[in-house]
Amino acid sequence: MNGTHRHHLLQLVLSCRKITAQVTQPGTSTIIAMASSSEQEFLAQSRANLYRFPRSNNFWDSKTASRVGEKLGLRLRELGVDAVSIDAEEEISRPVHHRKRVFPLFDSVRRSGIRVDGTDQLNDVVPRD
């Protein structure tokens, strides 16, 4: 994607332990809103996943991603942001197991009343269960 975005840019930072969604100001890298699975409400579930047996390398799932998207959508609405863009090429380049788990985040942001531009390109490459 080129360096100029018409809307705020929604970016995801993924690791095996957490998912973070951040929205930056158009034309700059200033973060205006952020939501993460490392926030207080997710700590109990994270601890449970840490000590469960059999062990897993993944501490978040599509439900967690969806809840992070809800929180981000509410924060964007409070700021008066009505649309965000994603870098579809970046999302398509993610491993399939991550793509399947992050798509609910985009759906949750959209359900909160925020338009998410760029997700239409993902529909062809994201396997939906």
Side-chain angles (χ1 to χ4, degrees):
M1 194 172 236
N2 60 20
T4 59
H5 301 285
R6 290 187 353 248
H7 302 295
H8 295 84
L9 181 63
L10 169 58
Q11 298 172 303
L12 302 179
V13 180
L14 308 177
S15 74
C16 63
R17 291 190 176 252
K18 70 178 183 174
I19 177 172
T20 301
Q22 59 189 28
V23 176
T24 56
Q25 188 77 28
T28 69
S29 59
T30 305
I31 297 172
I32 61 161
M34 180 191 283
S36 175
S37 63
S38 62
E39 293 180 18
Q40 185 70 34
E41 98 174 55
F42 299 104
L43 287 181
Q45 182 64 38
S46 293
R47 284 192 188 110
N49 287 342
L50 184 63
Y51 298 114
R52 77 174 174 210
F53 187 83
R55 295 209 185 272
S56 171
N57 290 332
N58 294 315
F59 293 88
W60 61 274
D61 57 13
S62 58
K63 289 180 197 172
T64 303
S66 179
R67 184 65 185 125
V68 168
E70 282 177 39
K71 292 176 75 90
L72 182 66
L74 292 173
R75 291 171 184 171
L76 289 170
R77 282 188 29 218
E78 287 175 1
L79 293 171
V81 174
D82 63 352
V84 296
S85 298
I86 64 163
D87 184 342
E89 290 180 20
E90 180 180 338
E91 296 307 321
I92 290 169
S93 71
R94 293 190 192 281
V96 173
H97 67 281
H98 279 176
R99 277 186 276 162
K100 287 173 68 172
R101 291 189 294 163
V102 301
F103 208 79
L105 182 141
F106 301 134
D107 288 341
S108 292
V109 172
R110 192 178 299 112
R111 278 194 308 273
S112 70
I114 309 295
R115 191 173 76 240
V116 183
D117 294 337
T119 57
D120 51 335
Q121 297 157 348
L122 299 179
N123 289 330
D124 297 333
V125 294
V126 177
R128 310 283 302 261
D129 290 335

